[in-house]
Amino acid sequence: MHKLSKYCYLVPIANNNQNDVASLMKSSLVFFAFGHPEGFGLPIAESLACGCAVIGYTGLGGREIFNLASHHSVAYEVPFGYLYGFIKALESFHVNLQQNPELMLSKLKIVSSDIRLRYSQHAMRLSARSILALVDHQLNSKH
């Protein structure tokens, strides 16, 4: 753990087990997304589901999730390789949080809930059923 200020700590999550990472994320306010070639953006989705704001790279596959959170001002995309962008984004989040903490915390809860609903097992099952029904329909209509 690295103390950045009186109230701000930088806590690495690497080399922690899944339960410890989840616990750290649930007790954090901001997640730095340093992963670049991320297929789906799972760390971004997980951190938002835990109620964190996200600052960092979309990782290509995380763009959809970033856009959802950006709409609520709780995600700040940083161009790949622009490390100073992390500092600028953290400053922006900090200003927004200081100006209206209740609103920002409410937005984090809204995004967390939306991510949990959008990427739940139930939503994935419905999506898979829909795709299978479409494939089945197309195969049967060709006969």
Side-chain angles (χ1 to χ4, degrees):
M1 180 180 324
H2 306 284
K3 189 171 185 175
L4 300 178
S5 71
K6 185 176 179 181
Y7 302 105
C8 186
Y9 296 88
L10 186 61
V11 182
I13 60 172
N15 301 319
N16 283 297
N17 66 45
Q18 190 174 6
N19 290 334
D20 289 344
V21 169
S23 179
L24 282 168
M25 290 173 81
K26 287 177 184 175
S27 66
S28 297
L29 194 55
V30 177
F31 174 77
F32 287 116
F34 292 112
H36 177 57
E38 187 69 45
F40 167 67
L42 194 55
I44 295 167
E46 290 172 333
S47 61
L48 289 168
C50 287
C52 296
V54 177
I55 295 172
Y57 310 136
T58 63
L60 307 174
R63 173 133 352 253
E64 173 187 337
I65 300 164
F66 243 88
N67 289 344
L68 167 72
S70 293
H71 176 73
H72 293 284
S73 304
V74 296
Y76 302 79
E77 184 176 354
V78 175
F80 182 68
Y82 182 53
L83 296 179
Y84 185 64
F86 283 87
I87 296 167
K88 297 301 289 176
L90 183 58
E91 287 175 345
S92 293
F93 176 74
H94 180 73
V95 166
N96 289 337
L97 186 63
Q98 292 298 312
Q99 288 176 346
N100 197 336
E102 294 83 16
L103 178 63
M104 290 304 290
L105 294 175
S106 173
K107 287 180 175 188
L108 287 169
K109 287 180 183 178
I110 289 168
V111 172
S112 173
S113 178
D114 195 13
I115 291 290
R116 289 171 181 269
L117 287 173
R118 214 177 266 225
Y119 300 104
S120 67
Q121 286 184 356
H122 177 70
M124 294 302 143
R125 279 191 205 105
L126 289 177
S127 180
R129 286 183 189 139
S130 175
I131 291 168
L132 290 172
L134 179 62
V135 169
D136 186 52
H137 175 73
Q138 288 179 345
L139 289 173
N140 287 330
S141 66
K142 291 184 179 184
H143 292 124

